[in-house]
Amino acid sequence: MAATEDAAGGRRSSLVGWVLVVLLLTLGAWPFVPYLSSVPLQPDSLTWIERSQPGAEGWREWVFQSSHFVGYRPLTALSFAGDIQLFGLSSLALRLTDLALHLGAGCAVFLMARRLAGVWPACLALAV
């Protein structure tokens, strides 16, 4: 009987943990929501968009061999290139990709911390 109660308590704790994860991810996404409809206007954003179009002259060198403003960032260049290839010059697609990557990083932190320390420490890591 005690094992059944422990299992039920563990499931309840896990469910509460997952609800907390969803809440934390929602709170983490909330600041991005007003920007989903905004157009990238910063000079570096325009350069990313311009240079990240596959087929453009020097594209491979730009993505894989050059410094990107503050350092070597080929994944950012590939992210822009993938968005442009899949969705064209859609600012909404660029912003949704930003949001998805932000939430994906949070999920990765949570999953790694959960594996190492359990659900509640992982929720704390996600919150931080």
Side-chain angles (χ1 to χ4, degrees):
M1 178 113 162
T4 305
E5 290 174 9
D6 287 343
R11 280 192 294 263
R12 189 176 320 113
S13 177
S14 182
L15 178 63
V16 170
W18 283 108
V19 168
L20 184 57
V21 166
V22 170
L23 177 65
L24 290 170
L25 288 173
T26 302
L27 289 173
W30 197 258
F32 284 92
V33 172
Y35 297 103
L36 287 177
S37 61
S38 67
V39 177
L41 294 175
Q42 297 299 320
D44 61 337
S45 298
L46 300 176
T47 302
W48 279 112
I49 291 169
E50 177 185 300
R51 293 190 178 176
S52 293
Q53 296 188 34
E57 186 175 331
W59 180 79
R60 288 180 198 266
E61 291 78 20
W62 162 252
V63 172
F64 298 109
Q65 296 174 349
S66 69
S67 177
H68 305 109
F69 307 111
V70 294
Y72 180 61
R73 298 177 2 190
L75 293 178
T76 304
L78 289 171
S79 170
F80 273 94
D83 270 350
I84 291 168
Q85 285 295 300
L86 291 171
F87 309 110
L89 295 173
S90 168
S91 61
L92 178 61
L94 290 171
R95 298 296 182 177
L96 287 173
T97 299
D98 287 345
L99 182 58
L101 291 171
H102 177 70
L103 294 175
C107 287
V109 166
F110 172 80
L111 292 172
M112 181 179 65
R114 186 187 71 176
R115 176 73 148 211
L116 296 173
V119 172
W120 295 110
C123 287
L124 179 62
L126 176 59
V128 170

